[in-house]
Amino acid sequence: HGPVGLVHVDAHADTSDVVLGERIGHGTPFRRCVEEGLLDCSRVVQIGLRGWQVCLRGSGYSADSYAWSRAQGFRVVQVEECWFKSLAPLMEEVRGQMGGGPVYLSFDIDALDPGFAPGTGTPEIAGLTPIQGVEIIRGCRGLNLVGCDLVEVSPPYDTTGNTALTGANLLFEMLCVLPNVKYL
Ligand SMILES: [Mn+2]
């Protein structure tokens, strides 16, 4: 596809250079993507970012992750901009940003509030609601989506199974907005 646009939904930017001494890890993928020329950086949006504890702890994570994102041309929508409102208007803007080029959708379950999805390794309070998650995914309808994922569901922490239920339903929503899906 060449460089793709990216709709990244997450509590964390995942743009660190090195985490706990490792360049390849769950906190570094989008730094590596930029280095490898995989992203059309003016068509990247990161939604739901917070993760204050990780920044303050400073345990190998970078505190300036959002500044680095913005310096690449990413749009950063911190979670405070999402509180108490529908994200349908935001997604209208995102569709304008993405245009008709190829887009990848990456959804980290920890973007949601841990009250809804506690089964994950780095929970952060004050997150998105499942309704907002669905609004984001449905807001991708009409984009040239070329791929998508749902990451960071951790069964050992998911004592009720509710996180898996929510993750599975978000994946179903993604299948419903993928273009060119052959319905059997
Ligand atoms: Mn995350």
Side-chain angles (χ1 to χ4, degrees):
H1 301 287
V4 295
L6 173 68
V7 177
H8 175 211
V9 190
D10 202 328
H12 313 95
D14 288 356
T15 54
S16 295
D17 187 25
V18 178
V19 174
L20 302 174
E22 300 291 339
R23 287 173 52 79
I24 303 295
H26 73 163
T28 67
F30 299 112
R31 176 77 66 126
R32 299 288 91 80
C33 283
V34 169
E35 290 173 351
E36 296 182 18
L38 305 180
L39 296 178
D40 180 354
C41 291
S42 68
R43 295 196 301 118
V44 174
V45 63
Q46 298 185 290
I47 303 171
L49 304 193
R50 53 197 192 280
W52 306 286
Q53 297 175 58
V54 167
C55 288
L56 292 173
R57 201 160 59 228
S59 57
Y61 286 71
S62 168
D64 71 343
S65 286
Y66 306 165
W68 187 88
S69 288
R70 293 185 171 107
Q72 310 313 306
F74 297 1
R75 178 174 182 186
V76 175
V77 182
Q78 290 184 228
V79 77
E80 290 90 341
E81 298 176 60
C82 303
W83 286 348
F84 313 117
K85 64 176 74 162
S86 167
L87 297 187
L90 169 67
M91 293 312 296
E92 186 172 356
E93 295 177 9
V94 168
R95 287 193 298 275
Q97 178 188 6
M98 296 297 151
V103 178
Y104 192 89
L105 170 61
S106 184
F107 199 120
D108 183 326
I109 196 74
D110 70 29
L112 300 187
D113 190 86
F116 299 110
T120 193
T122 49
E124 310 285 353
I125 67 162
L128 304 180
T129 67
I131 293 170
Q132 290 175 313
V134 170
E135 285 183 315
I136 291 169
I137 295 169
R138 292 184 183 179
C140 290
R141 179 179 293 280
L143 293 180
N144 181 16
L145 281 179
V146 296
C148 55
D149 60 45
L150 186 291
V151 298
E152 297 280 16
V153 172
S154 180
Y157 293 126
D158 190 20
T159 56
T160 66
N162 198 51
T163 311
L165 172 73
T166 301
N169 276 272
L170 292 174
L171 281 166
F172 175 76
E173 292 282 337
M174 290 181 197
L175 289 174
C176 293
V177 298
L178 277 177
N180 305 317
V181 170
K182 301 288 186 290
Y183 296 98
L184 299 176

